[in-house]
Structures are given as C-alpha cells and as structure tokens.
Amino acid sequence: MAQGIPKIGWEQVSPAPVVLVFGKESFLADRALQRLKSLLLMEDPELEVSDLDAGQYTDGALELIASPSLFDEPRLVRVSNGVKATDAFIADALRYLQAPVDGTTLVIRHDGSTVRGKKLLDAIRSHPGAIEVVCQPLGRGDMVPFARNELRLLEREATPGAIAALVDAFHSDIAELANAVRQVALDTEGPVTEQVVRTYYAGRVETTAFAVVDAVVAGDVAKALVTLRQAIATGADPVPIVAAFAMRYRQLAKVSGVSGGGAQVARQLGMQDWQLNNARRDLRGFTDASLCDAIEAIAHADHAVKGAERDPQHAVERLVRQLASRAAA
C-alpha cells in the first residue's frame, strides 16, 4: 500500500515536483504560494512563473507551459481553481504525474469544497515526489499560536496577555489578525504587552465581547455596561457577545472540575496555560451554585438573542447586569 505524502503547514512548504495546496483558508494558501515562489527565486532568479486556471483549462496547455525552455530555466506552474477543474485539466495533470518535468514545480490549489477532481487528488496524494500543504480555517484555539508565530517571524517578543488581546479583537479574520500583529510590531518598540496592544488598538480591543466578559467576571457592573454599549455602538452583534460569555463560562466550568495546574492539565482541557491560570483566578469568586446559575442565565440569553425576544440588545444587557451583579456580591 502506498505511503501518504507529507502534510505540512504553509510555513513549512519547500520546493517539490508537485505541491497540492488544499483547504478553504485562502489566506494561508496565499502565504504558502508566496513562500514557495520566494524559495524558488532564491535558488534561481531566472525562475519562470506561469499561471493556469483549472476551471478554464484547454487541452494541452499544461504540457506546453511545463516543458523545458531553450535555456532550461526552472519553472513554477501555479494552477488555481482546482475545485472546478475541467476534464481536460484532470486528464493532462494525471498524465503529467506519470513523468513530471525536471526543474518544474507544479502547484495545484484546491479548496476542498467539493470532491471534483478526486481521482487527481488521490493520484497526487500517492505520488512519491509530492507534498500537501494543509490550509484549513483556524479555530480560535489555533489563533494564539498563529499570532505568537507571526510575532516570532517579525523578531518581536510579546506577553501572553498581548497575544490574547490581539486574538480577542481580530479572531474573526486571520488576515486581519496577521495585519494587526504586523502593524503593532512595526509601529511600537520594546516588548509587546497587553497595554501596548490595548493602547494601539483602543477603539477595537476595548469594545470586544471579551472585554465585556472580563468586566463582568471581575464584578465591575459599571465598566461592564459601558463596555457593552461601546461594543454595540461600534457594530458588535448580541449573538457573538453571548457566545463569548458561553465560551468563558464553559472554561470556568471545565476548570472547576479538575485539580492541579500546568501545561499538561491545560492541554487536557484544550486550553492555553494562561487561560487555565486566568480561569483558576476567576473561579475564586464563584461557588458551584453561582456558576450553575450563570450558565443557566447565559443559555436563556442565547435563546433570547436568537429570536425568542424582540430586543436582543436588551436581553444581552440584562445578562450583563445579572452576571456582573452576582460576581460583585
């Protein structure tokens, strides 16, 4: 049985005869393509780059483009839209895999949204000279190491709180998160701290749902209400605000049921070390009964903001008042 080809992240991509860039996260796919082109240019500045659209492909184009030139310059052939590949492209690509051209790197982009070209995908994944770059959307838990790595690439040090603040503010869009990390890294000096991030992105970070949750858990009713109103005024929707409460209080519930600390316990709970430490600190203000009541109130609010009540903003403000008042008691 054939061994599967290596599956790697965008930051690990390296030249290979055939590269499959697979997954729905176009930002990571673009990163992989940029890195691959840069590496090939470093090997030979005379690199010839050609682009094909698999959805508009006509018979014979791949062979024509990939064939050695008169001066044998290396070639990078980038094929987009593999998810809509024509029958002609699939047939030509299958034929090409039987005898890849020396000095040519063939990159095929497929977002995986359909099984179109499955025979070709299977052939690539069993080809000994191929690699697969996995570009799936990142979950919220993956955003923290992503942001940390972005800062590392920029040779900047950052505190866990700074990374958490960046992720809280920009977790909905990985491209926006990457740009935010780059901007704060280039425009500030010294270690990137939470205060640096909150000062630099004051209008964005201070009004996130997670800033509202922080104030509520701390029992600061006035700050929680002000922050909530700022969030709503800047376009925040009640549904994700309640979702942020649900995520935070689920973390508290998970942590309340385990003893001990450290990286191993955090991994078991699917959390970062700093999240575990913060949850343990926040739990000091809760009893089992009050935590249960809070989770029940969040469930009611979730139902309300999703259509059970006419005024979702009133429902989320009521939730903030209830939870912050209990935490302050």
Side-chain angles (χ1 to χ4, degrees), residues 255 258-278 280:
V255 172
V258 298
S259 58
Q264 185 176 358
V265 173
R267 283 195 299 271
Q268 289 173 350
L269 296 175
M271 300 168 66
Q272 302 293 321
D273 292 358
W274 61 269
Q275 290 176 315
L276 176 63
N277 294 334
N278 288 351
R280 288 208 180 283

Side-chain angles (χ1 to χ4, degrees), residues 13-21 36 105-109 124 129-133:
V13 70
S14 58
V18 181
V19 180
L20 172 62
V21 180
L36 185 58
T105 299
L106 174 64
V107 185
I108 298 176
R109 173 76 179 107
I124 295 172
I131 60 173
E132 179 174 348
V133 184

Side-chain angles (χ1 to χ4, degrees):
M1 183 176 179
Q3 294 292 321
I5 63 174
K7 292 190 176 185
I8 59 176
W10 74 267
E11 72 282 4
Q12 299 169 300
V13 70
S14 58
V18 181
V19 180
L20 172 62
V21 180
F22 186 84
K24 295 182 180 179
E25 184 49 74
S26 58
F27 175 81
L28 296 181
D30 290 344
R31 279 283 186 90
L33 292 168
Q34 290 166 10
R35 174 177 166 81
L36 185 58
K37 180 183 176 182
S38 296
L39 291 173
L40 289 168
L41 282 169
M42 287 174 62
E43 290 183 359
D44 192 330
E46 300 301 317
L47 176 74
E48 290 190 9
V49 181
S50 302
D51 292 291
L52 290 172
D53 183 335
Q56 304 292 326
Y57 182 85
T58 55
D59 186 46
L62 177 59
E63 182 180 3
L64 181 64
I65 289 175
S67 296
S69 67
L70 180 62
F71 300 102
D72 286 333
E73 294 94 344
R75 292 174 178 266
L76 170 61
V77 181
R78 301 180 297 197
V79 181
S80 63
N81 210 16
V83 73
K84 294 184 179 179
T86 63
D87 290 340
F89 174 75
I90 294 171
D92 282 1
L94 286 169
R95 190 178 306 113
Y96 179 86
L97 287 176
Q98 295 174 12
V101 177
D102 288 341
T104 294
T105 299
L106 174 64
V107 185
I108 298 176
R109 173 76 179 107
H110 193 298
D111 68 16
S113 58
T114 75
V115 295
R116 176 66 180 163
K118 183 177 184 302
K119 185 177 180 180
L120 175 58
L121 294 176
D122 291 343
I124 295 172
R125 287 170 172 152
S126 63
H127 192 281
I131 60 173
E132 179 174 348
V133 184
V134 180
C135 299
Q136 298 296 358
L138 300 184
R140 186 175 173 81
D142 300 317
M143 291 289 194
V144 168
F146 173 80
R148 186 185 299 119
N149 187 59
E150 289 290 289
L151 284 158
R152 188 179 297 120
L153 292 173
L154 293 166
E155 299 182 345
R156 293 298 304 276
E157 294 183 3
T159 64
I163 294 171
L166 284 164
V167 172
D168 280 351
F170 300 100
H171 66 278
S172 61
D173 187 323
I174 187 173
E176 197 174 27
L177 174 60
N179 185 61
V181 169
R182 181 174 179 81
Q183 287 301 316
V184 77
L186 294 179
D187 293 349
T188 63
E189 296 181 353
V192 180
T193 64
E194 182 175 359
Q195 187 56 49
V196 167
V197 173
R198 291 188 180 277
T199 300
Y200 191 87
Y201 289 114
R204 178 66 178 262
V205 174
E206 293 293 347
T207 57
T208 64
F210 296 94
V212 180
V213 178
D214 286 342
V216 166
V217 173
D220 192 333
V221 182
K223 182 177 179 181
L225 289 171
V226 169
T227 309
L228 172 66
R229 287 162 188 165
Q230 287 176 342
I232 290 175
T234 55
D237 186 87
V239 172
I241 293 176
V242 175
F245 276 99
M247 186 184 78
R248 181 71 165 272
Y249 278 76
R250 276 198 299 269
Q251 286 183 345
L252 295 179
K254 285 198 296 185
V255 172
S256 71
V258 298
S259 58
Q264 185 176 358
V265 173
R267 283 195 299 271
Q268 289 173 350
L269 296 175
M271 300 168 66
Q272 302 293 321
D273 292 358
W274 61 269
Q275 290 176 315
L276 176 63
N277 294 334
N278 288 351
R280 288 208 180 283
R281 179 200 64 207
D282 295 338
L283 276 169
R284 295 170 191 160
F286 289 91
T287 64
D288 288 346
S290 65
L291 185 56
C292 233
D293 288 343
I295 291 172
E296 185 176 349
I298 293 168
H300 283 304
D302 184 67
H303 188 53
V305 298
K306 290 179 178 177
E309 294 185 12
R310 292 185 178 180
D311 190 345
Q313 292 185 9
H314 174 72
V316 75
E317 182 167 322
R318 182 178 65 225
L319 174 69
V320 166
R321 288 181 182 278
Q322 289 175 342
L323 297 186
S325 298
R326 289 173 185 172

